[in-house]
Amino acid sequence: MDDIEKIKYEGMLGALRHAIHSEQQKLNVVFDDTVRQASYYRLGIAITEAENILANMRKLLVALNELDPPHK
């Protein structure tokens, strides 16, 4: 692999890892503020958002696995 191809490859890996990390951070906060006064508040919305985040993470992981197969 020549230098330019290696730079592109590393850039793509870095971008995918960064995107996965970003989705993980979103997942960490999606359930914040879903309970108020012992009642669930916007929990259904949070679950839907979490499902969307997980679907995005799965797509990113598939792309990462295509570039760097050891990530499973």
Side-chain angles (χ1 to χ4, degrees):
M1 183 180 312
D2 68 7
D3 289 342
I4 292 177
E5 288 302 314
K6 184 176 180 181
I7 291 168
K8 288 179 182 180
Y9 173 77
E10 292 296 327
M12 287 187 288
L13 286 178
L16 287 168
R17 289 180 181 132
H18 177 74
I20 290 171
H21 179 74
S22 177
E23 293 297 312
Q24 287 175 319
Q25 295 305 313
K26 289 179 193 175
L27 193 58
N28 286 338
V29 299
V30 76
F31 290 102
D32 287 351
D33 197 30
T34 56
V35 178
R36 287 191 182 165
Q37 299 173 352
S39 295
Y40 290 108
Y41 166 77
R42 69 178 284 294
L43 182 60
I45 293 168
I47 291 170
T48 299
E49 288 177 17
E51 289 170 338
N52 292 334
I53 291 167
L54 289 171
N56 287 337
M57 286 177 69
R58 176 67 67 188
K59 290 175 188 175
L60 292 166
L61 181 59
V62 167
L64 183 61
N65 283 334
E66 289 173 1
L67 284 177
D68 195 14
H71 298 280
K72 296 189 183 211

